[in-house]
Amino acid sequence: MRRGDVTEDDGTWVGLSLDLRDRLRPGLCVYSAGNRLLISQGDAPVLLAVIDPGYAGVDFWRTDAYRSIVPPLRADEARALAGSTQRWAHRFARFLADAPDGPLHEGRWLLSPEGRLRGRDAGVPLAEHWGELLVEGHPDGYIDWFVHSGSWEVLPSRPMPDAGDSRVKAYRKQARDGTLPPVLTWWISGLDCHLILDGHARLAAAIAESVEPALLELRRVTPRDELSARVDEAVGAYTSEIARFAGLRATRSPSVPDGAALMGPVLARRLRALDTAGRPTWSWPLPGGAARWDRIVEEVTNSRDWPPS
């Protein structure tokens, strides 16, 4: 896997670009059968979901099968990385690349702190804000696309621990010290929300300490072939504009600017946007289709009446 830092013109870090070329299907995989989704880690169903016929939301059933792709993070490692989201992005990238049961597959990805989460309004307590962002319910629940449209909620991949949990207590000191590692999330377009890949206890610790949690969002971005074609289009548009300015200088006045100062920044913004533009999450057809999905539902729910009609 190739990786490289993405920055603004002023050097501000935007995220970490990941380019994977040798994994056709991930170990943590999204399968689809019509309006039904299955997220499976290896052979183990992690999440079953069915999209509302009116596209108002998603009913989900979460199993306890998910296993984090990130090994336990040591306190000395957290101190060494000093709460730097950029440095943690490189660390998590190694975990993602090495994990056979992670979400990465062939293509381009971005690990970025600038996710789609709705920002906290002034004066709103942090616990209240995250109480609205976190999707509740275990084993079943509902991701509301109507009431929470544009919020891009966060779905824990396992039940959130409470403030008294031993792991949360250990992380609360790091939250106070400013060395708490980021929470790793995966943007899944079919759910229109973020799935927590690692960091449930860290998120709970940050909320308990009223400390804004650091986040790293993993999302799929423009694939190589499309990126190459779009770059050619952007460069072609820039070249055409420069030629237009040259024509104006020749036919009207030498005082007409050559256009580089105007169009150069436009080209730079277009290229940067192309490099980080999100793309829908890939899903694979579920072998056996809807009938297979129904059988998995019966197995994991013990034939409970789910999804609700």
Side-chain angles (χ1 to χ4, degrees):
M1 180 180 71
R2 295 189 302 176
R3 65 181 188 222
D5 289 305
V6 180
T7 60
E8 299 280 3
D9 292 339
D10 61 1
T12 302
W13 186 71
V14 173
L16 183 64
S17 175
L18 313 176
D19 193 339
L20 196 68
R21 297 175 180 268
D22 56 357
R23 190 175 301 169
L24 297 181
R25 183 175 300 187
L28 185 61
C29 189
V30 180
Y31 294 98
S32 60
N35 67 335
R36 301 167 174 86
L37 297 176
L38 165 68
I39 299 178
S40 180
Q41 191 170 36
D43 295 328
V46 168
L47 186 85
L48 290 147
V50 56
I51 299 172
D52 186 286
Y55 299 100
V58 182
D59 286 290
F60 69 85
W61 183 285
R62 182 177 55 197
T63 73
D64 288 318
Y66 176 73
R67 297 295 176 264
S68 176
I69 61 173
V70 177
L73 302 176
R74 302 188 310 273
D76 59 343
E77 183 179 19
R79 288 192 296 270
L81 296 183
S84 168
T85 305
Q86 181 177 0
R87 296 175 69 188
W88 273 112
H90 282 270
R91 191 78 179 98
F92 282 139
R94 291 199 293 272
F95 295 140
L96 286 162
D98 295 341
D101 53 356
L104 290 187
H105 56 76
E106 184 175 19
R108 296 180 63 254
W109 301 77
L110 185 71
L111 262 179
S112 172
E114 299 181 0
R116 297 170 172 81
L117 288 183
R118 175 172 58 84
R120 180 159 59 104
D121 295 331
V124 176
L126 186 137
E128 180 182 335
H129 174 69
W130 276 95
E132 295 176 354
L133 283 181
L134 284 171
V135 179
E136 297 181 345
H138 186 76
D140 59 326
Y142 187 71
I143 303 169
D144 196 319
W145 290 351
F146 183 77
V147 173
H148 296 286
S149 176
S151 295
W152 296 295
E153 297 169 288
V154 176
L155 175 63
S157 49
R158 62 171 68 98
M160 288 289 294
D162 59 39
D165 183 274
S166 59
R167 297 165 300 162
V168 176
K169 289 180 179 179
Y171 280 127
R172 290 182 70 166
K173 183 178 185 301
Q174 293 183 14
R176 294 192 297 270
D177 294 344
T179 61
L180 188 66
V183 178
L184 180 62
T185 69
W186 175 26
W187 170 253
I188 301 178
S189 60
L191 299 175
D192 198 34
C193 75
H194 301 81
L195 182 71
I196 297 179
L197 294 176
D198 186 75
H200 297 75
R202 298 195 297 277
L203 178 57
I207 295 172
E209 291 294 327
S210 295
V211 173
E212 197 70 50
L215 302 174
L216 276 171
E217 179 203 69
L218 176 70
R219 68 175 182 265
R220 183 173 165 264
V221 293
T222 310
R224 287 180 297 273
D225 53 352
E226 181 181 345
L227 179 63
S228 178
R230 294 292 183 86
V231 167
D232 289 344
E233 291 176 4
V235 172
Y238 170 81
T239 302
S240 295
E241 282 298 294
I242 294 299
R244 185 172 70 85
F245 275 96
L248 291 174
R249 286 169 60 88
T251 59
R252 296 191 180 181
S253 169
S255 64
V256 173
D258 62 10
L262 177 64
M263 300 310 302
V266 173
L267 175 62
R269 287 194 297 270
R270 288 189 65 181
L271 294 179
R272 186 164 53 250
L274 286 172
D275 197 35
T276 60
R279 287 293 182 270
T281 308
W282 270 1
S283 68
W284 279 257
L286 179 63
R292 168 83 180 283
W293 189 89
D294 290 339
R295 288 196 299 272
I296 296 174
V297 166
E298 291 183 7
E299 293 170 2
V300 302
T301 66
N302 293 319
S303 300
R304 278 183 52 178
D305 186 17
W306 186 89
S309 55

